[in-house]
Amino acid sequence: MEIKTYELDPSATELIEILREKYGSHKDYDYFLNDIKKALSFCANNENVSFYPVAGYENGKMCSHAALIIDKRRPAKEAFFGFLECPEDTAAFGILWNALIKEARDKGISV
């Protein structure tokens, strides 16, 4: 799996595709998707938040995703993670998680 940080496009096309594949058959998927889009927009377009998405790709297709979320109103060296989606594969999760932790450490985050 290849790990990349990337700029979130306004429609979050690749992430939405992962969500559609995993959850699209659930009866409340549209409600869920609406909330995810609002949350992504809040994080990506908020003057108090720095949003760093990290994704795993296999054969050029996004297969896993996480984001480092740094809110400047929180204590220094503290951040959140979110938008975590990963295949049911322990190795893939480990690769993604380690990349997210590296991104956090590179930005001076320890908590």
Side-chain angles (χ1 to χ4, degrees):
M1 178 166 47
E2 179 185 8
I3 298 290
K4 297 180 193 176
T5 57
Y6 72 100
E7 290 289 323
L8 184 70
D9 70 273
S11 61
T13 307
E14 291 179 297
L15 177 56
I16 298 302
E17 184 57 33
I18 291 173
L19 299 174
R20 183 172 288 115
E21 287 176 13
K22 286 181 79 173
Y23 309 113
S25 64
H26 293 263
K27 72 175 188 149
D28 293 324
Y29 172 73
D30 290 332
Y31 179 77
F32 164 76
L33 185 59
N34 187 46
D35 278 358
I36 288 287
K37 286 180 178 180
K38 286 178 188 176
L40 282 168
S41 178
F42 176 82
C43 288
N45 301 307
N46 186 320
E47 64 188 34
N48 293 309
V49 174
S50 296
F51 187 69
Y52 302 99
V54 177
Y57 292 83
E58 288 204 7
N59 300 319
K61 182 179 177 187
M62 186 184 287
C63 62
S64 60
H65 187 278
L68 178 65
I69 304 164
I70 303 172
D71 188 324
K72 69 182 182 184
R73 298 166 294 186
R74 302 289 304 162
K77 299 186 181 208
E78 185 176 301
F80 300 97
F81 70 90
F83 305 98
L84 178 63
E85 291 297 331
C86 197
E88 292 187 30
D89 176 341
T90 305
F93 173 80
I95 293 167
L96 179 67
W97 187 255
N98 290 336
L100 182 65
I101 296 302
K102 181 183 180 318
E103 185 73 17
R105 288 192 177 131
D106 288 351
K107 304 233 180 302
I109 302 300
S110 59
V111 178

